[in-house]
Amino acid sequence: MDAIVLATRNKGKIREFNILLQLFGLTVRSLDEFPEIGEIPETGDTFLENALIKAREVAKATGLVAVADDSGIEVDALNGAPGVYSARFAGPECDDHANNEKLLAELKDVPDEKRTARYRCVMAAVAPNGAETTTDGSYEGHIAHEYKGSGGFGYDVIFIDPESGLHAAELTPEQKHSRSHRGEAITKLLEAWPDFWEKAQA
């Protein structure tokens, strides 16, 4: 099996990546297996820049193909915020709950029809020889007024899936993968994988 490294320690992301990537014969390793690699600063202004920063750094450090993503939520009423700052919206040491509380507070006077939002994901695969490919995905929905569900992570407890009317945290993993931003980006990545892998071995 081909081994790749996921440039993340986020357990929610690792779980989602594993479910999808292992179906395609890939052995998935996480950054937890490489403790010598410290935190990689996400200094980019866009999801694409951050994904490439992480994937390039991990490929260089491990000598293996690295796959990284940068993802977040864009809220139209907040002019696209929190965007690349989604994971640290409430501060550098915050958790998902703090981020959700801040977002709900920011939107407390915003009516339902203006609470549109989307999850966005950009994924980058980088080989030690410099071969690269990137993909993206989006997941449209809107922001609820209260929490529902116990699955998922991030903003899933307040993000309403338009197809089902359920919060993303109420969906089964299979339902979420079939329509999520990360699922779309991974599907595109896997479509591009044979060509990328050939270049990665050159």
Side-chain angles (χ1 to χ4, degrees):
M1 295 177 75
D2 299 323
I4 65 170
V5 183
L6 298 182
T8 183
R9 292 186 176 88
N10 182 303
K11 289 181 172 54
K13 287 184 181 180
I14 291 167
R15 184 167 58 248
E16 290 192 357
F17 274 122
N18 272 325
I19 291 170
L20 290 167
L21 289 176
Q22 287 184 343
L23 295 174
F24 291 81
L26 300 172
T27 300
V28 179
R29 303 176 69 180
S30 80
L31 279 187
D32 285 335
E33 297 181 52
F34 302 92
E36 68 277 10
I37 301 176
E39 289 300 313
I40 301 170
E42 297 180 13
T43 56
D45 294 323
T46 65
F47 295 121
L48 176 61
E49 289 176 3
N50 283 334
L52 284 169
I53 287 168
K54 291 184 284 187
R56 288 168 178 166
E57 184 71 23
V58 172
K60 179 180 177 181
T62 64
L64 296 171
V65 167
V67 175
D69 86 314
D70 195 37
S71 57
I73 196 166
E74 299 173 335
V75 180
D76 294 322
L78 302 180
N79 298 313
V84 295
Y85 303 105
S86 293
R88 51 192 186 278
F89 189 42
E93 303 300 323
C94 64
D95 58 12
D96 287 348
H97 181 71
N99 287 332
N100 284 311
E101 287 290 294
K102 180 175 181 179
L103 185 56
L104 289 178
E106 297 261 349
L107 296 176
K108 64 182 177 68
D109 296 323
V110 177
D112 287 350
E113 66 272 13
K114 294 186 178 179
R115 297 172 76 93
T116 52
R118 73 207 46 80
Y119 273 122
R120 286 198 60 231
C121 174
V122 175
M123 193 160 293
V126 174
N129 70 358
E132 298 181 349
T133 190
T134 63
T135 62
D136 61 12
S138 62
Y139 180 20
E140 299 286 337
H142 60 279
I143 305 301
H145 294 271
E146 71 289 319
Y147 298 167
K148 283 187 181 179
S150 58
F153 62 100
Y155 297 87
D156 286 354
V157 290
I158 59 171
F159 183 84
I160 298 178
D161 168 63
E163 184 176 333
S164 66
L166 299 173
H167 290 212
E170 297 179 283
L171 300 176
T172 66
E174 293 75 21
Q175 287 175 316
K176 186 181 176 188
H177 295 324
S178 72
R179 66 193 75 177
S180 79
H181 54 307
R182 188 167 295 109
E184 181 181 357
I186 291 178
T187 297
K188 291 179 180 178
L189 178 64
L190 293 169
E191 290 171 354
W193 193 265
D195 183 57
F196 164 72
W197 191 255
E198 183 177 345
K199 293 176 181 175
Q201 309 305 308

